[in-house]
Amino acid sequence: MSNKKIPVVPKELIVPFIAATSIFALWGFANDLTNPMVAAFKKVMVLSNKEAYNVQFAFYFGYGVMAIPAALFIRRFSYKSGILLGLALYAIGAVLFYPAALEESYTYFLISLFVITCGLGFLETTSNPLILSMGDASTATQRLNLAQSFNPIGSLTGMMIAKFVVLDRILSADYVDSTEIMALGADKAAEIRTHDLEVISTPYISVGIFVAIVFFIIWKTNIPKMFMGEHLTIKESLNKIFKSKTYLFGVIAQTFYVGAQIMCWTAIFQLVEYINMGRGAEQVDGTFWNIGAMLLFVSTRFIGTALMRKFNAASMLTVFTIAAVLLCAGVIVTNGITSLICLVLVSVFMSIMFPTIYGLALKDMGEEAKLASSGLIMAIVGGAFLPKIQAAIMDIGETVNGEEVFGDVVIGGITEIHFSFILPLICLAVVGFYGIYAYRVTKQASH
């Protein structure tokens, strides 16, 4: 039977599919509300790039901690139970921003972000295999790409909130660096700090309340227990999972992809900061460029999902990765707005990568996708470690009064901020090799 005659989502599963898909937007919101907070905390708390990137470390480390417990939980209970527990942790972590702001403790903020991500670890470990199970196996990767297309809608909302509710309202944004703020006197500096931390915490507290409402909606929604084959013991499942080289390589590729994604999106703000140093009054707004990157990302994901009806998913992944690698090279060797345009365009070709790697890695896993999905969600921990390495590259240059001075040349006239994009370039190259490998495997299987 032709794939064109097989519905991506069967009619009887449309309502639970919509309910599960709505969860994708929630973690997209958290991800992209948090990315700009690296720059915000850096200014408000007077941090180096490396210290500020602890926001990303705390946020994405929760995936590594919670993925396996989440997989075992849904294996024992149900997808719906996993979603509910994830939403509960998400809401609790977000509301913890209130005491963190009262104490004005960077550590408390990091703990709150970690708890949020423990919830997101449950949500992603649960929702992705649930979507894969909601229909015919031949359309599973396309179905996951469709569901993941709503993730960037949440991301765009998070970016807009970060821009207009946080970054445009923090008082420290009116000053070039922390030395200007400290020159106002200890009392005034403390007043600015208190105000800004309250501003930063407000959207998190609000989303915590909203997620609590979503919890009750999902609780009342009928999400069927989906089964994708014979239920094996944990030992049998692990044996099956680890025999699949497509899966193991997929976990590695996913780790590098997520690291590349977080580096490219977060570092938009650092690149804009460097570009603005030489532009005087004509300052570039990093948030608008970040929103532009996400608009390209979400539109291309919808387009990519449609193209998968005609083209092999693995071959599309390979072609998209080659383009992304070339654009990263463009960021490194060009300057000014040209390098920024190259960086934003990377999002076009990253659009299909996460769900496509996920679908290829779990192909033919059957019921064991519940446990196998944990490895792919643990791979999101790449977003915790790899950006910190990029931040360390950015900090190669000298500091003045604790502030990083951008513009030091690392090699061949390339500054440290531009050279740092060698890391996402390498990460995306790994994804490209996975695309080639998965394409060969799918071709062999079809013969």
Side-chain angles (χ1 to χ4, degrees):
M1 183 181 292
S2 171
N3 276 2
K4 292 183 179 180
K5 297 180 181 179
I6 300 174
V8 177
V9 182
K11 289 182 179 179
E12 66 272 16
L13 294 175
I14 287 178
V15 172
F17 177 82
I18 293 172
T21 298
S22 68
I23 305 299
F24 285 69
L26 282 179
W27 73 66
F29 178 88
N31 290 343
D32 287 277
L33 173 62
T34 301
N35 287 338
M37 293 306 106
V38 173
F41 275 115
K42 179 186 176 184
K43 181 69 73 68
V44 175
M45 306 296 284
V46 191
L47 306 169
S48 67
N49 280 311
K50 191 174 182 179
E51 290 169 329
Y53 268 70
N54 281 333
V55 168
Q56 299 292 42
F57 181 82
F59 190 82
Y60 290 96
F61 187 63
Y63 284 103
V65 171
M66 201 53 66
I68 290 178
L72 294 174
F73 182 86
I74 62 173
R75 201 174 189 274
R76 172 66 178 83
F77 297 101
S78 66
Y79 286 121
K80 182 175 180 178
S81 298
I83 290 173
L84 291 175
L85 183 53
L87 290 170
L89 289 170
Y90 186 162
I92 291 168
V95 172
L96 284 175
F97 263 69
Y98 178 72
L102 289 179
E103 293 294 325
E104 298 188 2
S105 169
Y106 186 46
T107 301
Y108 288 178
F109 280 112
L110 296 179
I111 291 171
S112 300
L113 289 169
F114 175 76
V115 175
I116 289 174
T117 320
C118 286
L120 299 185
F122 257 90
L123 292 178
E124 294 215 38
T125 303
T126 302
S127 299
N128 286 295
L130 173 60
I131 293 297
L132 289 174
S133 71
M134 286 183 166
D136 192 88
S138 65
T139 58
T141 299
Q142 186 183 356
R143 187 162 49 253
L144 185 56
N145 267 280
L146 176 60
Q148 286 275 0
S149 296
F150 292 89
N151 171 270
I153 294 175
S155 296
L156 277 169
T157 306
M159 288 179 182
M160 299 293 283
I161 296 295
K163 165 64 177 172
F164 297 109
V165 177
V166 178
L167 299 180
D168 280 358
R169 293 180 57 218
I170 57 175
L171 298 177
S172 56
D174 296 331
Y175 302 90
V176 175
D177 54 42
S178 59
T179 56
E180 283 193 7
I181 298 174
M182 296 306 297
L184 300 174
D187 290 342
K188 184 62 176 177
E191 180 184 329
I192 291 173
R193 178 188 176 104
T194 299
H195 173 273
D196 287 357
L197 291 178
E198 288 178 357
V199 170
I200 289 172
S201 65
T202 298
Y204 286 94
I205 297 168
S206 300
V207 77
I209 296 169
F210 178 76
V211 170
I213 295 171
V214 174
F215 175 95
F216 286 104
I217 293 173
I218 296 296
W219 185 26
K220 296 296 184 179
T221 301
N222 179 32
I223 297 179
K225 292 184 177 182
M226 306 297 300
F227 297 99
M228 295 185 288
E230 181 184 1
H231 188 79
L232 306 178
T233 66
I234 291 180
K235 183 178 179 181
E236 289 171 334
S237 295
L238 290 174
N239 286 336
K240 180 178 179 179
I241 290 167
F242 286 109
K243 282 181 180 177
S244 172
K245 292 181 180 180
T246 307
Y247 171 76
L248 295 176
F249 193 1
V251 172
I252 295 170
Q254 199 73 291
T255 302
F256 282 97
Y257 165 69
V258 175
Q261 175 188 286
I262 302 309
M263 285 186 282
C264 288
W265 286 349
T266 304
I268 285 177
F269 294 92
Q270 276 65 41
L271 184 58
V272 165
E273 182 182 347
Y274 171 69
I275 292 171
N276 281 338
M277 289 171 57
R279 292 182 65 87
E282 298 180 4
Q283 297 287 289
V284 177
D285 191 321
T287 302
F288 282 123
W289 284 87
N290 200 22
I291 290 171
M294 185 54 64
L295 285 170
L296 291 171
F297 184 85
V298 65
S299 57
T300 313
R301 181 170 279 180
F302 278 111
I303 294 169
T305 300
L307 289 174
M308 284 183 185
R309 297 289 280 182
K310 295 184 177 180
F311 299 101
N312 179 278
S315 62
M316 282 184 61
L317 178 64
T318 304
V319 172
F320 275 48
T321 304
I322 292 170
V325 166
L326 291 174
L327 285 165
C328 279
V331 179
I332 296 170
V333 301
T334 61
N335 290 296
I337 295 298
T338 302
S339 63
L340 186 56
I341 291 172
C342 287
L343 179 54
V344 168
L345 289 177
V346 173
S347 293
V348 170
F349 299 100
M350 290 195 300
S351 59
I352 67 164
M353 291 184 187
F354 185 93
T356 302
I357 295 169
Y358 205 104
L360 291 171
L362 294 186
K363 184 176 175 58
D364 300 325
M365 278 290 176
E367 185 67 11
E368 309 330 304
K370 290 180 178 178
L371 187 57
S373 67
S374 64
L376 290 159
I377 299 304
M378 282 183 68
I380 296 175
V381 79
F385 291 100
L386 291 167
K388 284 184 68 66
I389 300 174
Q390 185 185 31
I393 297 173
M394 292 180 191
D395 283 338
I396 287 175
E398 64 175 320
T399 58
V400 177
N401 295 324
E403 292 287 333
E404 168 67 16
V405 179
F406 284 132
D408 288 338
V409 174
V410 175
I411 184 173
I414 299 173
T415 65
E416 74 269 57
I417 180 67
H418 290 89
F419 183 73
S420 71
F421 286 93
I422 191 70
L423 195 54
L425 184 153
I426 293 170
C427 291
L428 290 168
V430 173
V431 177
F433 283 118
Y434 178 68
I436 294 170
Y437 177 80
Y439 177 77
R440 289 176 177 172
V441 170
T442 56
K443 281 298 181 183
Q444 289 174 358
S446 63
H447 292 315

